[in-house]
Amino acid sequence: MILVIDSGSTKAEWIFLDGETVGKRLLTEGFNPNYSDLQTLDNLVGTCCGASLRGNIQSIHYYGTGCGNERNCQLIKGVFHRHFPDAEISVTHDLMAACHAVLGREKGIACILGTGSNACVYDGNDITERAVSLGYLLGDEGSGMHIGREVARAYFYGFMPDDLRQSFDATYHLQLQDFIHNLYHSGQPSRYLASFAKFAGDNQGHPYVHDLVKRCFQAFVEAFLLRFEDCKSLKVSFIGSIAYHFKDVLRESLSENGLTMGTVMQAPAEGLIEYFALPNN
């Protein structure tokens, strides 16, 4: 049996594979080694992997937010090793999950467009080139945070057309002082800003919103994709709710830059199941 975990900071999916069959799937709270106590992960392993399963799990593949450095990977490996001393354990970052999910064993460009953003070139086995990711303060172009921030700016600066302003008022009933307080005191400003991307999604047929989102995607293309030498000869595939829900605008942005869209998935789970259940495909 193979255990595959796809973990973000807020939620994680645990997939138990028995050959080509999905034995069990669980959704739990997420884990980020940069912010979370290791005991949290230890408790999750204990809850999700009962005694009857432990002896049958031969390999564990953990993809996680915050796993971009060796120290964090080793910390997570240590937790699983205590529960599964005889299992083969692999820990890597969420960008590799995107590669395995949308590209499998094919060469291409894999991107994340969710609350944050990232991109890399994948040769079918390894990441050969990776974009610089500066996080939500300086980067995350094209992400839910970026789109949500532009929606909020347009509203509070008065750039938003009157019909959209009325719709925004009816949806959020938001005062400037409340917005500022939530932004700087919520503890997770990127997630708070990303919550306004839903307004863009609900109104993406409006010309103003279409142009706003397209500008954000153009910034993503310039910051992340056009820097890759082979960007115009490789398909560009995506994981993430922003890519999924704004697929048409994203395809338009790629096309105008001479880029070709590949696969788009809202979440990597189904692609990871295929990758591990059908390892020779």
Side-chain angles (χ1 to χ4, degrees), residues 227-280:
R227 296 174 179 272
F228 295 144
E229 183 177 353
D230 297 329
C231 65
K232 295 190 178 180
S233 63
L234 298 172
K235 287 186 178 180
V236 186
S237 296
F238 294 85
I239 286 287
S241 57
I242 294 300
Y244 184 81
H245 290 295
F246 294 95
K247 189 186 315 182
D248 292 339
V249 186
L250 182 57
R251 182 183 286 109
E252 185 180 331
S253 296
L254 293 178
S255 178
E256 290 180 0
N257 286 276
L259 305 173
T260 304
M261 179 180 280
T263 302
V264 179
M265 292 183 178
Q266 186 169 5
E270 299 304 325
L272 292 175
I273 289 171
E274 183 174 352
Y275 182 82
F276 287 104
L278 304 172
N280 295 318

Side-chain angles (χ1 to χ4, degrees), residues 113-223:
L113 271 183
T115 300
S117 58
N118 210 337
C120 68
V121 178
Y122 176 70
D123 67 2
N125 186 47
D126 296 311
I127 292 173
T128 58
E129 193 174 356
R130 186 170 178 174
V132 174
S133 180
L134 297 176
Y136 74 93
L137 284 178
L138 295 178
D140 277 347
E141 290 85 356
S143 67
M145 183 284 302
H146 187 192
I147 293 170
R149 185 186 68 195
E150 294 306 301
V151 167
R153 288 178 76 250
Y155 175 77
F156 286 112
Y157 282 166
F159 300 151
M160 191 178 283
D162 288 342
D163 57 336
L164 282 176
R165 286 184 61 83
Q166 292 171 14
S167 179
F168 190 94
D169 284 333
T171 302
Y172 296 104
H173 309 286
L174 190 60
Q175 299 298 315
L176 177 59
Q177 60 268 28
D178 295 327
F179 171 76
I180 295 297
H181 176 81
N182 292 338
L183 178 62
Y184 291 102
H185 299 282
S186 67
Q188 294 183 311
S190 62
R191 287 181 60 192
Y192 179 64
L193 289 172
S195 68
F196 297 107
K198 184 179 185 305
F199 180 82
D202 292 340
N203 294 278
Q204 60 182 295
H206 194 291
Y208 182 86
V209 173
H210 177 275
D211 290 346
L212 181 151
V213 172
K214 194 171 177 182
R215 289 196 302 272
C216 293
F217 286 156
Q218 180 62 32
F220 171 80
V221 168
E222 292 175 2

